[in-house]
Amino acid sequence: MVSQAKSHHKLIVLLVIGSVGMFGFGFALVPLYNVLCDKLGINGKTQNTASSYQAMTIDTDRTVTVEFIAQVQTGMPWAFAPKLKRLKVHPGELIRTAFLASNHADRRIVGQAVPSVSPGQGAAYFHKTECFCFNQQPLAAKADAELPLIFYVDPDLPESIHTLTLSYTLYDITDKQASDALEQGAAK
Amino acid sequence: MNTLTRELNSVAEPADQTQLHEEDHHHHQAPKGIWRWLLTTNHKDIGTLYLWFSFIMFLTGGTMAMVIRAELFQPGLQLVEPNFFNQMTTVHGLVMVFGAVMPAFTGLANWLIPMMIGAPDMALPRMNNWSFWILPFAFTILLSSLFMEGGGPNFGWTFYAPLSTSFSPDSTALFVFSIHIMGISSIMGAINVIVTIVNLRAPGMNWMKLPLFVWTWLITAFLLIAVMPVLAGAVTMVLTDKYFGTSFFEAAGGGDPVMFQHIFWFFGHPEVYIMILPSFGIISAIVPTFSRKKLFGYSSMVYATASIAILSFLVWAHHMFTTGMPVFAELFFMYCTMLIAVPTGVKIFNWVTTMWRGSISFETPMLFAVAFIILFTIGGFSGLMLAITPADFQYHDTYFVVAHFHYVLVTGAIFSIMAAAYYWLPKWTGHMYDERLGRIHFWCSVISVNVLFFPMHFLGLAGMPRRIPDYAIQFADVNQIVSIGGFAFGLSQLIFLAVVLKCIRGGEKAPAKPWEGADGLEWTLPSPAPYHSFSTPPEIK
Ligand code: HEM
Ligand SMILES: [Cu+2]
């Protein structure tokens, strides 16, 4: 019977380790999914650093439609829209366009745009050499701004994709930014 | 860890007979009244507590369902505010899943597993006490949040971010803590079940002799340990996103709300099997008894259960077909989902074959078991329809999904629990239940449940969305029928309460084995089963 207590003990320890391990696994799923989506380029996330553009042959035989969508987080007092809703581009061509943002509130607000490309598989072929989404966008009360975007479509874009839709959602991160600043201040 | 080690000593005690007697003695002087129930470490007491708790939660969640159906009786907003309506659908789901179905199965496990494997009790009796007694606290917290300013959880039982983060009521922290407690309770219960089954089987009770209820529960317990911690992780991330500024699911901070769905359904799909595998065990006990034949295909049942459990980890994204996954992922999850229908079909086939040419009698447990087989199969078929990706784009988030999961959960899980209650009541109480009342309960239930849920298929196909307090006028007639079915089903369950109370208080004395075709160690014990099941291990032939 002493041996029974021992075998209980061993099993319990294993099972508790299993549960704790699965709790950790739940959190590990976050980076796991991110890495997986990144590698396979499947969730429409574009890279959040600028790509460089080397002169390349422009595939003038092919035309890809690029559409722009802009959205603002519910309740955020900004107007936000693409300057042009739709563009026809050739793969390899460097294109410059812009989005327009205006702050309707009586206070300074910091915005952060989060991009997403649809269809998701196209995201890896959409390269931005300059984008306002790489930085935070502070706008003073009642101020307007033109937010530039420079991009090109990779000539390797799969033949099956004819249209790429780039969507930006703008979030109000004023509070977050303030608390980050406080934390950084405290750290110093 | 400290409690665990103490636990071990208490289990080691029954080692020698004198000590066991001392313990018996101890029990006779054990506190009476409320203290007996608060301090009990006896598997039967704890099983009883779980079962009553589950029944109370069943009525609580049922009351919420009545509010939902009353509001939906007519189009337009009549009775409740939309926000309160959302709280009702959310808490109804949470209470039924975590309060009614899961504790009922744990209660049955407590009562039956030691008796079925020839053990004196569960392996970890004190932990058993804890795992039950934290549950009432969890549900008090959850239900009390309904009365707070801003209301209780209103984001659906699936608590998708950002509904549960950016847009949730202030009481969300309470929801999170209550889920944590429920999770801890389930995990402790699962550990107990595994240790009991692995270590306390009577000599000679080898793996392929285990009753299927024990097998299915063993596999369920492993599923619980694998996924309840993931649920705990998901609610923790919701908590920190909402209150502590993390951005797991917050796009503004670099997170991803779709990730929530991946994590949730990684828990969620195995969870639905946690709620059905023990039912398979129950049906596999009842069908042979009343068919007076051996179960057809015992070992294929074991393998089918195990393969369902493994496959259940590979299908979670069938809840997410419309989130814009790449085509190859849609196809992968579609085929894996359909693959699960194969082992499930094996089970249905085995039950039907067991009945084939048996000399069947239809006592109440068998009535519920047969209804289970037919109606659960309907739920499986609607599941297959939902598994077809392009079709799911049409059905997703409509009443068709509501019909699907109520067929598998109400006429599946709940019906099997009812069947189990009728089947083992004589063993638990020592009295036969009132067969006439039992049959009335069955027929009222089976008719009303179909009036309640079958028309929902058509509502869904016609495009009525789920989780709305108001609807387009063309859905009015069918909703009225559905609501009437709902009220009838709710009232029918009071008959069940009457049967159980009557059976506890008296009735024809039950012999040790009230069902002539029954097989299994529990029937070798007298009825009612003695306080300690097998003080000396039985002999297994
Ligand atoms: C042949 C077996 C099954 C298949 C193929 C299947 C398939 C599916 C699919 C594809 C969905 C997602 C529908 C949608 O949201 O658009 C779904 C939802 C659901 N299923 Fe099943 N299912 C099966 C069995 C079960 C069982 C046995 C249970 C529980 C005991 C269950 C419980 C649920 C629940 C609760 C939902 C809805 C979750 C929610 O969104 O709230 N299913 N099923
Ligand atoms: Cu599922």
Side-chain angles (χ1 to χ4, degrees):
Chain A
M1 279 299 175
V2 174
S3 75
Q4 189 178 61
K6 242 192 204 152
S7 62
H8 278 2
H9 191 79
K10 229 173 90 187
L11 203 52
I12 295 167
V13 169
L14 281 177
L15 293 171
V16 170
I17 291 176
S19 320
V20 174
M22 286 310 291
F23 184 70
F25 180 72
F27 284 87
L29 281 176
V30 175
L32 268 174
Y33 278 130
N34 276 336
V35 167
L36 208 72
C37 290
D38 233 35
K39 283 271 172 300
L40 301 175
I42 50 179
N43 70 349
K45 276 192 188 165
T46 54
Q47 79 283 24
N48 38 18
T49 49
S51 355
S52 60
Y53 180 78
Q54 274 108 28
M56 57 179 82
T57 43
I58 296 171
D59 185 356
T60 45
D61 293 342
R62 202 173 155 199
T63 315
V64 177
T65 308
V66 179
E67 296 177 329
F68 300 102
I69 302 177
Q71 268 169 311
V72 182
Q73 174 191 12
T74 337
M76 182 176 175
W78 279 27
F80 178 49
K83 218 170 164 180
L84 284 171
K85 289 207 164 121
R86 174 175 293 140
L87 279 173
K88 293 213 181 284
V89 307
H90 298 303
E93 195 181 8
L94 195 64
I95 308 282
R96 183 189 175 94
T97 179
F99 281 62
L100 304 172
S102 55
N103 180 0
H104 294 327
D106 295 327
R107 61 196 162 85
R108 178 178 175 273
I109 290 181
V110 185
Q112 168 74 57
V114 176
S116 158
V117 168
S118 176
Q121 293 97 311
Y125 304 94
F126 192 92
H127 302 291
K128 289 170 290 187
T129 59
E130 192 187 325
C131 176
F132 54 93
C133 58
F134 297 149
N135 305 310
Q136 299 172 344
Q137 301 300 325
L139 268 190
K142 304 282 181 201
D144 298 326
E146 191 172 302
L147 309 174
L149 166 69
I150 303 178
F151 70 93
Y152 67 95
V153 174
D154 203 307
D156 293 337
L157 181 75
E159 287 294 335
S160 59
I161 299 180
H162 306 289
T163 305
L164 287 171
T165 307
L166 175 63
S167 144
Y168 282 106
T169 310
L170 197 67
Y171 292 92
D172 178 356
I173 57 161
T174 318
D175 295 342
K176 238 186 188 124
Q177 211 210 14
S179 66
D180 282 357
L182 271 181
E183 257 165 48
Q184 273 169 7
K188 278 179 211 155
Chain B
M1 242 16 202
N2 215 330
T3 47
L4 288 186
T5 16
R6 263 190 279 127
E7 194 93 75
L8 301 177
N9 302 335
S10 78
V11 177
E13 260 166 28
D16 83 36
Q17 287 294 324
T18 47
Q19 253 180 351
L20 184 78
H21 270 153
E22 258 166 39
E23 211 184 58
D24 248 352
H25 200 65
H26 182 73
H27 273 301
H28 290 307
Q29 297 183 338
K32 292 255 162 351
I34 179 89
W35 289 107
R36 159 177 174 198
W37 295 104
L38 274 175
L39 300 178
T40 183
T41 54
N42 178 278
H43 75 101
K44 299 191 179 78
D45 285 351
I46 294 175
T48 306
L49 285 171
Y50 265 112
L51 290 170
W52 276 113
F53 178 78
S54 149
F55 192 71
I56 292 167
M57 285 296 118
F58 182 57
L59 295 185
T60 310
T63 310
M64 295 172 189
M66 297 299 105
V67 174
I68 295 170
R69 282 324 316 175
E71 176 57 53
L72 294 175
F73 192 71
Q74 286 175 21
L77 297 174
Q78 275 72 242
L79 294 174
V80 294
E81 300 269 319
N83 186 37
F84 188 72
F85 182 91
N86 289 345
Q87 292 172 44
M88 286 293 103
T89 52
T90 304
V91 183
H92 162 76
L94 292 168
V95 163
M96 286 304 195
V97 167
F98 296 105
V101 175
M102 292 170 70
F105 283 137
T106 317
L108 291 171
N110 263 292
W111 253 103
L112 298 171
I113 289 177
M115 296 203 290
M116 285 178 160
I117 62 173
D121 203 308
M122 294 295 278
L124 314 167
R126 287 177 205 181
M127 188 165 88
N128 210 3
N129 173 291
W130 273 104
S131 66
F132 173 76
W133 275 111
I134 59 179
L135 268 188
F137 289 96
F139 282 90
T140 310
I141 294 175
L142 178 65
L143 294 172
S144 67
S145 72
L146 284 173
F147 301 99
M148 305 208 163
E149 217 180 298
N154 57 1
F155 28 69
W157 83 279
T158 50
F159 61 103
Y160 279 11
L163 288 178
S164 58
T165 53
S166 313
F167 304 104
S168 60
D170 292 340
S171 65
T172 303
L174 296 178
F175 155 80
V176 169
F177 293 140
S178 69
I179 297 286
H180 277 145
I181 302 175
M182 293 169 205
I184 291 171
S185 162
S186 301
I187 291 170
M188 293 202 293
I191 291 179
N192 208 348
V193 165
I194 295 175
V195 177
T196 306
I197 297 174
V198 173
N199 285 349
L200 295 191
R201 278 167 295 131
M205 176 62 83
N206 60 32
W207 290 108
M208 285 324 244
K209 276 189 189 155
L210 280 186
L212 270 167
F213 180 73
V214 179
W215 253 120
T216 53
W217 236 113
L218 180 68
I219 292 170
T220 302
F222 278 108
L223 283 181
L224 279 166
I225 286 181
V227 300
M228 289 312 282
V230 176
L231 174 69
V235 287
T236 308
M237 289 182 234
V238 163
L239 183 81
T240 58
D241 265 17
K242 183 168 173 64
Y243 296 98
F244 303 111
T246 56
S247 300
F248 288 106
F249 311 127
E250 171 89 18
D256 186 344
V258 177
M259 174 116 59
F260 173 86
Q261 298 185 30
H262 280 293
I263 296 174
F264 179 82
W265 288 115
F266 184 84
F267 148 80
H269 189 83
E271 166 69 13
V272 307
Y273 282 98
I274 287 167
M275 294 190 284
I276 204 68
L277 293 185
S279 305
F280 293 166
I282 293 164
I283 302 303
S284 304
I286 292 175
V287 167
T289 296
F290 296 97
S291 307
R292 291 159 184 83
K293 274 176 67 188
K294 256 185 71 164
L295 180 72
F296 182 87
Y298 169 90
S299 52
S300 69
M301 286 293 208
V302 174
Y303 298 130
T305 311
S307 39
I308 289 176
I310 293 165
L311 280 174
S312 75
F313 286 101
L314 297 176
V315 299
W316 76 89
H318 65 214
H319 298 272
M320 304 170 55
F321 283 143
T322 57
T323 54
M325 287 188 289
V327 174
F328 80 84
E330 307 251 30
L331 290 177
F332 173 82
F333 287 110
M334 169 167 121
Y335 288 126
C336 280
T337 304
M338 293 183 163
L339 208 57
I340 294 200
V342 176
T344 314
V346 168
K347 286 177 172 289
I348 309 273
F349 178 84
N350 286 348
W351 292 322
V352 173
T353 315
T354 305
M355 287 192 276
W356 179 252
R357 302 204 161 160
S359 49
I360 305 181
S361 60
F362 293 99
E363 283 84 353
T364 313
M366 185 61 167
L367 287 173
F368 273 103
V370 173
F372 171 97
I373 297 173
I374 297 169
L375 299 175
F376 175 77
T377 305
I378 293 181
F381 280 136
S382 57
L384 275 175
M385 289 172 71
L386 291 166
I388 303 169
T389 310
D392 184 68
F393 274 67
Q394 169 75 12
Y395 308 151
H396 181 62
D397 269 347
T398 69
Y399 260 79
F400 193 82
V401 179
V402 180
H404 159 66
F405 67 73
H406 282 94
Y407 264 86
V408 283
L409 284 172
V410 178
T411 59
I414 304 265
F415 268 32
S416 78
I417 293 165
M418 300 275 180
Y422 282 108
Y423 186 57
W424 281 291
L425 260 178
K427 180 56 60 191
W428 299 339
T429 63
H431 305 128
M432 296 307 284
Y433 62 86
D434 184 333
E435 184 62 45
R436 205 177 65 94
L437 261 186
R439 285 180 198 204
I440 294 176
H441 170 228
F442 169 76
W443 284 109
C444 288
S445 297
V446 80
I447 293 170
S448 60
V449 87
N450 282 292
V451 176
L452 166 58
F453 293 124
F454 205 78
M456 284 186 184
H457 290 112
F458 303 115
L459 282 175
L461 293 180
M464 178 169 159
R466 63 189 282 207
R467 293 171 173 161
I468 49 158
D470 184 9
Y471 50 82
I473 196 88
Q474 70 266 29
F475 303 127
D477 297 350
V478 181
N479 267 296
Q480 223 156 63
I481 297 171
V482 165
S483 284
I484 291 169
F487 302 139
F489 183 73
L491 287 176
S492 307
Q493 302 324 307
L494 300 178
I495 309 176
F496 179 62
L497 180 63
V499 178
V500 173
L501 289 177
K502 200 170 160 203
C503 182
I504 292 172
R505 290 169 58 191
E508 191 192 321
K509 273 229 112 346
K513 191 168 114 176
W515 316 114
E516 68 189 61
D519 191 24
L521 282 179
E522 75 268 32
W523 307 113
T524 63
L525 290 168
S527 302
Y531 200 61
H532 294 284
S533 296
F534 290 98
S535 306
T536 42
E539 224 172 293
I540 319 281
K541 287 154 282 193

